[in-house]
Amino acid sequence: MTMLDIKIELTTKPKEKPAPDELGFGHYFTDHMFVLDYTEGIGWHDGRIVPYQPLSLDPSAMIFHYGQSVFEGLKAYVTVNNEALLFRADRNFKRLNNSNARLCIPEIDEQYALEALKQLVSIDREWIPSAPGTSLYIRPFIIATEPNLGVHPSKNYQFIIIMSPSGSYYKEGINPVKIMVEEQFVRAVKGGTGEAKTGGNYASALKGQQIADKEGYSQTLWLDGKENKYVEEVGSMNIFFKINGTVITPALNGSILPGITRDSMIQVLKSKQIPVEERRISIDEVVEAAHQGTLEEVFGTGTAAVISPVGELKYLDEKIIINNGEIGEVSQMLYDTLTGIQNGKIEDTFGWTIRL
Ligand SMILES: *Cc1c(COP(=O)(O)O)cnc(C)c1O
């Protein structure tokens, strides 16, 4: 490991840590954050860990106007043996660079970012909650900071990592959600930014989410932006269908976000000899399977929830109930396997966990 040139300024006013059952998601932040600057002609420089604090930016900073930003989401866990670990964090920084390339943001050094994150998590180690299901959510992000209203890639950036202790996603057990196929709005189009983790994708998805909320559904099922026919994602998760014993997830096509949980699920399924296919799947095929009685399970995957089983799917005027509105066997197995690896109850034969 190379020596990191990271200045560390520890807080003189450590905050009180919230009670485990009050955590929720994204409300509380740890004592420190990591900051790295980019200046054209110099590159990335001045990596530092400093007390968590507000940013000071010029109102003309490009991030406020043209949305040039990328982010990541990952977690640190403490295992049953009280060891702190990160889950596939190397993949997050790799994906951050893919997003950077799409948004014309300069590449970061992935190894450096990972080591910086390890230092930050070590400093705020006490902030990783240990109650079952809890974790430390980590949000790395990059913003364009050049003060300039001209439309061009920014000349300056900040790469920042903040961390937030988060509560158990399933406090009252895993409850399947009701989702609704969005027919008017789309999340992403081929050639657009759907494959990049960038704030604009979330801004454009709010409308569909609002419509779903109004109708009593918790997530939007997004179809492709061209034919409005092929399934892409659910809310901000990847989606899987189990039809007649085979697990199917839409193939990455340029407008789908390549989830790390998605990739992990595919690998676990393969390791258990459960047939899994990455291919195009139309909403008509899903509805047809439901009519035939072969639609066995539907679930979303993402870092926050790991798995979110779908109990009801609404398309046009039809409401489809999946597996009696209960979590399916394969969904449960995948959830148990991934969370077991994350909390150290199951041996990590995949090499996914990274110790601090
Ligand atoms: C982050 C994200 C996911 C899930 O990715 P994970 O790496 O599994 O957390 C899926 N879809 C969208 C749109 C996302 O932004």
Side-chain angles (χ1 to χ4, degrees):
M1 194 176 86
T2 52
M3 275 293 288
L4 289 190
D5 188 18
I6 294 178
K7 279 203 203 84
I8 297 174
E9 180 198 338
L10 296 180
T11 183
T12 51
K13 296 185 204 102
K15 294 181 274 197
E16 204 171 314
K17 294 180 187 64
D21 57 342
E22 282 171 12
L23 289 173
F25 179 78
H27 298 305
Y28 300 98
F29 295 92
T30 68
D31 282 325
H32 299 91
M33 63 194 215
F34 172 75
V35 184
L36 180 66
D37 296 322
Y38 181 90
T39 309
E40 194 180 63
I42 299 175
W44 291 106
H45 63 91
D46 282 296
R48 57 204 182 269
I49 290 171
V50 293
Y52 187 93
Q53 60 192 275
L55 305 175
S56 175
L57 292 175
D58 193 287
S60 70
M62 294 181 78
I63 176 58
F64 297 133
H65 307 278
Y66 308 126
Q68 198 193 5
S69 71
V70 294
F71 70 94
E72 271 303 324
L74 69 156
K75 284 174 167 182
Y77 307 83
V78 276
T79 67
V80 286
N81 304 317
N82 204 29
E83 274 185 297
L85 55 84
L86 294 163
F87 184 75
R88 306 193 77 182
D90 51 324
R91 297 288 296 230
N92 290 91
F93 291 121
K94 199 178 173 88
R95 185 171 66 187
L96 188 65
N97 266 338
N98 291 339
S99 301
N100 281 340
R102 181 64 182 82
L103 274 290
C104 301
I105 295 172
E107 188 173 278
I108 56 155
D109 179 335
E110 293 166 26
Q111 199 58 41
Y112 174 88
L114 181 58
E115 295 306 328
L117 174 60
K118 284 188 190 172
Q119 277 205 17
L120 180 64
V121 176
S122 301
I123 287 172
D124 282 339
R125 167 75 166 78
E126 302 278 287
W127 281 87
I128 313 178
S130 57
T134 62
S135 57
L136 183 67
Y137 184 79
I138 299 164
R139 169 57 57 86
F141 64 104
I142 300 176
I143 52 172
T145 54
E146 183 189 343
N148 192 323
L149 296 183
V151 179
H152 58 254
S154 176
K155 292 181 166 66
N156 314 328
Y157 300 87
Q158 278 197 318
F159 170 42
I160 300 170
I161 306 177
I162 55 175
M163 309 196 293
S164 172
S166 66
S168 177
Y169 202 88
Y170 294 115
K171 253 195 245 165
E172 280 109 39
I174 305 184
N175 284 321
V177 296
K178 291 161 67 174
I179 66 170
M180 183 185 133
V181 177
E182 174 53 42
E183 292 152 51
Q184 187 184 358
F185 300 106
V186 297
R187 189 195 79 90
V189 292
K190 198 158 283 177
T193 55
E195 202 171 35
K197 223 168 164 69
T198 182
N201 293 342
Y202 279 69
S204 69
L206 291 173
K207 194 77 192 169
Q209 183 61 45
Q210 207 175 45
I211 294 168
D213 283 346
K214 244 185 235 152
E215 298 209 20
Y217 289 83
S218 71
Q219 304 275 341
T220 305
L221 183 73
W222 298 106
L223 301 180
D224 79 276
K226 194 174 170 198
E227 296 178 66
N228 236 19
K229 184 174 172 186
Y230 298 100
V231 176
E232 298 229 315
E233 300 202 49
V234 58
S236 48
M237 289 182 287
N238 296 111
I239 188 156
F240 289 74
F241 302 91
K242 180 164 166 268
I243 299 177
N244 210 9
T246 296
V247 180
I248 302 156
T249 190
L252 301 178
N253 61 356
S255 51
I256 293 173
L257 197 288
I260 293 162
T261 320
R262 173 188 180 278
D263 179 77
S264 308
M265 296 306 179
I266 293 170
Q267 291 195 47
V268 171
L269 287 164
K270 285 182 176 164
S271 76
K272 309 254 180 199
Q273 269 96 45
I274 296 171
V276 52
E277 292 176 0
E278 292 176 75
R279 63 165 170 84
R280 231 159 52 150
I281 177 164
S282 70
I283 188 66
D284 292 336
E285 180 181 345
V286 174
V287 171
E288 180 62 19
H291 290 166
Q292 308 233 316
T294 53
L295 181 62
E296 294 153 352
E297 297 183 37
V298 180
F299 56 92
T301 66
T303 294
V306 181
I307 277 215
S308 182
V310 176
E312 181 183 323
L313 170 69
K314 178 172 178 270
Y315 179 50
L316 303 172
D317 291 325
E318 190 174 354
K319 291 177 180 176
I320 293 166
I321 305 294
I322 300 138
N323 196 38
N324 290 322
E326 286 160 24
I327 183 169
E329 220 174 283
V330 167
S331 310
Q332 184 73 56
M333 178 281 288
L334 289 169
Y335 180 80
D336 292 343
T337 306
L338 229 66
T339 54
I341 291 172
Q342 290 162 348
N343 65 29
K345 282 187 188 160
I346 295 179
E347 192 199 343
D348 172 18
T349 53
F350 298 94
W352 287 338
T353 50
I354 300 171
R355 298 205 144 61
L356 291 187

